[in-house]
Amino acid sequence: MKKRLGISLSESDCILFLPLSKRSQISIFVILAIILVAVIALLIIMQDYQKDSFDTLTFSQQTEVIQNSFNECLRLVHQNSLEKIAVQGGYYNEPLTPYIDAGLYDIPFYFFGDLQYIPENELIQEELSVASDFQINNCFNLISERNFEYDYILTSIKPVITENKVTFTTNLHLTLQKGEQKVSYEFENFPIKINSKIQEMNSFASYIAYSHQINNGSLCVTCFTEIADDKELFVEFFNDFETVILVSITDNRTNVYPRTYNFALSNVNQNSDLKIITPEDTQEFDDTEINIQPPQK
């Protein structure tokens, strides 16, 4: 009979560290940024290629094309936000927990020393909002390339995480103008739904952290592999450092975001081989309002 979590585990069932290969040295943040820029550039190139046919369209047809392109760009921005958030265990900004400084991205501890640090859905939603806010200006290049004048008011981006998707509502009032003709769009009327298991990844991560705590740092690897299979996920445990376990939960399906969710676990609060940052090491965050201005036309 296979042993499950929540019952006593024999020493042979529990594995603290597994020998796994080293991760790629290329930062996933760099890869994600390149993909986003490349896709937006492709959209612009495709618009240039179709420029002659676009110029023959009526004003209403042209603005419909722009609106659709802008919506597609927003979808790419939100997908990229999900990827960035998940690779940092639910954070876009510096984690509020102790974390590993991995250079261009950070891996938060979900258990560190003797305390659990699991981000709630509400916090992850706030981080997603900030991530999309910082990327949305890229989409206005699509309008400039069409030689349209525009103005906008961006109030907020509100992500809502549910069981199998994340819905992004962009409270954006956009005005397009060409000569004397003008039209406005309210993008809050067009919420974008993205297939996502980030809620289940977070819940699974919390379960792993709890098991790590109650079993004094041991993990039933075969148990978690079976659970991941049932959830159509894949889980890996990395033991590159003696006192730290790095955990990666992956969703390999296409058209589902994010693909990878990372976090770390440790029974001790020191490790000479890692640059571990704790909240008291960081400066107090200045929570001031960020005013986003439209790019210059």
Side-chain angles (χ1 to χ4, degrees), residues 20-73:
L20 295 173
S21 61
K22 297 287 184 180
R23 291 189 175 190
S24 169
Q25 298 300 309
I26 301 175
S27 168
I28 194 168
F29 269 7
V30 174
I31 296 174
L32 293 173
I34 291 173
I35 291 174
L36 178 63
V37 171
V39 172
I40 292 175
L42 180 61
L43 289 173
I44 294 174
I45 291 172
M46 291 176 63
Q47 286 185 345
D48 289 340
Y49 181 77
Q50 299 171 347
K51 189 176 189 306
D52 291 340
S53 59
F54 179 83
D55 290 340
T56 64
L57 299 177
T58 65
F59 176 78
S60 61
Q61 290 171 331
Q62 289 179 338
T63 54
E64 182 179 356
V65 170
I66 292 174
Q67 181 198 13
N68 291 337
S69 296
F70 197 92
N71 261 330
E72 181 60 27
C73 183

Side-chain angles (χ1 to χ4, degrees), residues 65-276:
V65 170
I66 292 174
Q67 181 198 13
N68 291 337
S69 296
F70 197 92
N71 261 330
E72 181 60 27
C73 183
L74 282 179
R75 178 175 292 277
L76 292 171
V77 164
H78 299 327
Q79 289 172 356
N80 198 52
S81 295
L82 279 164
E83 297 288 4
K84 286 189 173 185
I85 291 298
V87 78
Q88 295 200 139
Y91 295 94
Y92 179 73
N93 291 310
E94 191 173 51
L96 302 177
T97 77
Y99 65 90
I100 300 170
D101 182 351
L104 294 179
Y105 64 97
D106 305 314
I107 302 176
F109 281 95
Y110 278 13
F111 186 83
F112 187 72
D114 57 359
L115 295 175
Q116 281 199 55
Y117 303 89
I118 312 296
E120 300 288 342
N121 263 5
E122 291 76 14
L123 176 58
I124 297 176
Q125 287 172 172
E126 291 175 6
E127 296 291 299
L128 282 171
S129 177
V130 173
S132 290
D133 248 356
F134 275 101
Q135 299 175 79
I136 195 172
N137 278 351
N138 294 319
C139 297
F140 290 99
N141 294 330
L142 299 173
I143 304 175
S144 301
E145 290 293 322
R146 291 298 193 182
N147 296 320
F148 266 71
E149 296 181 0
Y150 66 91
D151 194 10
Y152 73 90
I153 300 174
L154 175 61
T155 306
S156 64
I157 299 175
K158 296 181 179 179
V160 176
I161 298 173
T162 51
E163 185 175 356
N164 292 311
K165 66 178 180 292
V166 179
T167 302
F168 290 84
T169 301
T170 304
N171 294 307
L172 170 67
H173 176 86
L174 175 65
T175 300
L176 301 175
Q177 184 170 358
K178 194 170 189 180
E180 298 298 322
Q181 301 182 85
K182 182 185 297 186
V183 66
S184 295
Y185 294 100
E186 298 290 344
F187 279 81
E188 65 179 318
N189 298 325
F190 307 98
I192 294 175
K193 298 180 181 180
I194 297 176
N195 296 329
S196 176
K197 279 199 169 184
I198 192 169
Q199 177 173 278
E200 193 158 26
M201 287 175 161
N202 175 263
S203 177
F204 189 25
S206 176
Y207 190 31
I208 294 173
Y210 175 69
S211 177
H212 179 269
Q213 178 184 16
I214 65 174
N215 288 294
N216 297 317
S218 296
L219 291 172
C220 178
V221 176
T222 55
C223 297
F224 287 123
T225 300
E226 291 177 1
I227 294 172
D229 287 342
D230 291 341
K231 297 176 179 292
E232 297 184 90
L233 299 171
F234 180 70
V235 62
E236 292 181 282
F237 300 86
F238 298 85
N239 68 319
D240 293 345
F241 304 96
E242 183 180 358
T243 59
V244 174
I245 301 176
L246 303 179
V247 187
S248 181
I249 301 172
T250 306
D251 190 330
N252 290 321
R253 294 175 300 162
T254 59
N255 201 33
V256 177
Y257 304 86
R259 302 294 172 82
T260 303
Y261 191 104
N262 296 328
F263 61 99
L265 304 166
S266 180
N267 273 354
V268 299
N269 56 15
Q270 290 183 349
N271 186 298
S272 58
D273 297 327
L274 281 173
K275 184 177 181 182
I276 297 176

